[in-house]
Amino acid sequence: MTIKLNDLQLILLSAASNRADGGLLPAPDSVSADQERLKAAISSLVRRKLVAKVGERVTITEAGRTAIGAEESPALATDVEAVDAKATPQVTDPTPTRAGTKAALLIDLLSREGGATLDDLTAATSWLPHTVRAALTGLRKKGRGITSEKVDGVRAWRIVG
């Protein structure tokens, strides 16, 4: 799978891969003028685990090196793995949902042993299918572990963990 990166992200990763410590910052002079854009690019790279942030230090990960086709640095390999281990987010409790809401209804349906199909979810909420899918995405973003699988040609979603 090819990872799509914008020009700014490519510049940041390339600069980091050429540094002895693998640090992303300070950013090259050619891209450091727009601080908001720089922050957004770094946040995106952190979310995609192409860089790891520990405290104020941001370091390229092995996934970041692979994404730009840089060779693995033997000296950095152990440091990057240590940073990756520290930067891995701990599973937190999902954001609580108010009782009696349609989101709570979705969670109840998804918590069943077999999960729930799109037909189950649309019938229970009176929402259109695209709205149900958007709500599932919202629940994921709030920390719910939701998986989907096809059983006999019908997709079913369920909460895991």
Side-chain angles (χ1 to χ4, degrees):
M1 179 171 105
T2 304
I3 296 176
K4 292 186 180 186
L5 300 169
N6 64 33
D7 291 341
L8 178 56
Q9 292 168 333
L10 287 169
I11 291 169
L12 291 172
L13 288 175
S14 180
S17 71
N18 290 326
R19 292 187 177 137
D21 67 348
L24 207 64
L25 299 174
D29 293 335
S30 63
V31 296
S32 61
D34 189 354
Q35 290 296 311
E36 290 302 315
R37 190 169 164 239
L38 189 61
K39 286 179 186 176
I42 292 171
S43 294
S44 175
L45 292 170
V46 169
R47 271 192 319 273
R48 296 162 78 181
K49 298 186 179 177
L50 300 177
V51 299
K53 186 174 182 180
V54 178
E56 292 298 313
R57 186 168 177 241
V58 182
T59 308
I60 190 169
T61 63
E62 208 49 53
R65 289 181 176 283
T66 303
I68 61 169
E71 293 181 15
E72 180 179 336
S73 171
L76 278 178
T78 55
D79 292 341
V80 171
E81 289 168 9
V83 169
D84 279 344
K86 291 178 186 173
T88 302
Q90 300 300 318
V91 176
T92 59
D93 289 336
T95 305
T97 305
R98 290 187 325 240
T101 62
K102 287 188 178 181
L105 176 61
L106 285 178
I107 292 169
D108 289 340
L109 291 170
L110 296 170
S111 297
R112 299 184 305 191
E113 186 176 325
T117 65
L118 187 59
D119 289 339
D120 296 336
L121 298 171
T122 55
T125 59
S126 301
W127 286 341
L128 295 173
H130 69 276
T131 308
V132 170
R133 288 188 205 97
L136 292 172
T137 300
L139 289 173
R140 282 187 188 108
K141 287 183 178 182
K142 291 180 181 176
R144 303 278 177 189
I146 298 176
T147 63
S148 71
E149 55 189 30
K150 265 191 174 176
V151 178
D152 298 328
V154 178
R155 182 154 309 276
W157 289 266
R158 62 185 178 86
I159 292 181
V160 293

